[in-house]
Amino acid sequence: MIDLHTHFLPEMDDGAKNVDESILMLREAYKQGVSVCAGTSHIVLHSESNIEAFLKKRDNAIVSLRKKLVGSENLVPKLIYGAEVFLDNDISKYNGVEKLCLTGTNLLLVEFPTREYNPEYAEWLYSLTLKGIVPVIAHFERYSYINELLDDLDSVNVAYQMNAKTVMKNSWFKFILGLYYHEKKVLISSDMHNMGLRKTCMKKAYDKICKYYSKEVAGDFFENTASQLISTVFIK
Ligand SMILES: [Fe+2]
């Protein structure tokens, strides 16, 4: 499985509190069958300078994690890095915003305010696509205006990320399948934050889709779509 939305990097946000917790989270992900895992720490973007500050802080977090992982790299997934960018303004105007994409790709994980719908959201995403970026909308299930957003995004090239925990709720099961059969790019990630209440549950969710639907659909949600997105938007 490929997990493109997690908060395993230490001391970056409300995710891993320290390197030890990062390693426990990554080992658990690996045990559950995750082979590639993206660290997507939160960033709220209101100026160009905070892109650089974020990247510097993220580099330091990666260095301390890598140091502690020496000798046990084979017990954790392959690690890639990005950000989860809060979208409450048109971030395409900031120079260097593409540096927040997942390592070596044009994929940018973005999240919106959960309750306040704004018709400009689709325009902001469209502006990002004009820069060659493919926005991945984080935990799409979380927005109270989900239907309006879906309509607005009908012709915008985006991917829809849903949280593994959501798959465990029957009420969302049909919705996710509906998106899939409307040929939307849907991927399921953990959005893991810790080893407690927000621990990864990728395997349970994968098994549920296999049991109640099919291994083929589960493969698309948990691996193939993410894998295609990573490879097709790779920056040469
Ligand atoms: Fe997140």
Side-chain angles (χ1 to χ4, degrees):
M1 288 181 277
I2 297 176
D3 190 353
L4 291 188
H5 179 177
T6 80
H7 298 268
F8 69 75
L9 278 170
E11 297 175 62
M12 287 292 292
D13 54 13
D14 56 342
K17 283 189 292 296
N18 51 46
V19 179
D20 291 332
E21 189 171 28
S22 304
I23 292 175
L24 288 176
M25 288 163 72
L26 290 169
R27 286 192 176 176
E28 176 61 26
Y30 189 69
K31 262 195 242 160
Q32 292 192 19
V34 173
S35 57
V36 177
C37 191
T40 49
S41 307
H42 291 287
I43 174 173
V44 181
L45 206 45
H46 288 292
S47 72
E48 271 156 31
S49 60
N50 70 349
I51 296 178
E52 295 308 322
F54 172 87
L55 293 174
K56 202 169 166 194
K57 190 177 173 193
R58 194 184 70 182
D59 280 348
N60 291 336
I62 294 169
V63 169
S64 39
L65 175 61
R66 289 269 172 212
K67 255 192 213 160
K68 195 95 186 227
L69 272 175
V70 171
S72 60
E73 294 92 339
N74 59 342
L75 298 176
V76 300
K78 174 180 161 35
L79 306 181
I80 56 175
Y81 308 99
E84 179 178 7
V85 188
F86 189 67
L87 232 66
D88 61 354
N89 67 105
D90 178 9
I91 62 164
S92 69
K93 66 187 178 220
Y94 299 120
N95 285 324
V97 68
E98 66 283 351
K99 293 181 194 167
L100 299 171
C101 290
L102 285 174
T103 317
T105 80
N106 278 357
L107 287 179
L108 185 67
L109 186 69
V110 296
E111 65 169 336
F112 292 109
T114 48
R115 296 191 186 283
E116 308 88 60
Y117 170 65
N118 181 339
E120 284 183 308
Y121 292 159
E123 287 165 35
W124 296 343
L125 293 178
Y126 179 65
S127 302
L128 286 168
T129 67
L130 293 179
K131 296 187 104 174
I133 290 172
V134 177
V136 179
I137 303 175
H139 36 64
F140 188 60
E141 70 275 19
R142 198 174 285 178
Y143 309 108
S144 58
Y145 46 87
I146 195 165
N147 290 321
E148 288 94 326
L149 194 54
L150 253 185
D151 282 349
D152 292 349
L153 291 172
D154 196 36
S155 55
V156 186
N157 184 26
V158 298
Y160 300 87
Q161 181 263 315
M162 315 274 290
N163 282 1
K165 232 181 201 169
T166 302
V167 174
M168 306 311 293
K169 296 177 191 156
N170 290 337
S171 52
W172 280 101
F173 198 60
K174 269 191 189 159
F175 178 83
I176 299 172
L177 286 169
L179 282 183
Y180 177 77
Y181 285 114
H182 278 88
E183 298 186 353
K184 304 289 182 197
K185 296 182 198 89
V186 185
L187 51 122
I188 295 174
S189 310
S190 70
D191 193 13
M192 64 173 172
H193 277 65
N194 51 44
M195 286 295 284
L197 289 175
R198 300 187 76 182
K199 182 181 166 183
T200 185
C201 63
M202 291 286 273
K203 180 154 186 349
K204 256 192 189 167
Y206 176 86
D207 288 346
K208 182 171 176 181
I209 301 233
C210 286
K211 184 174 173 192
Y212 292 102
Y213 219 74
S214 76
K215 212 172 170 176
E216 192 197 0
V217 173
D220 285 346
F221 283 150
F222 289 86
E223 177 145 348
N224 301 336
T225 304
S227 166
Q228 279 158 16
L229 281 168
I230 287 176
S231 54
T232 52
V233 297
F234 223 86
I235 300 166
K236 304 281 182 227

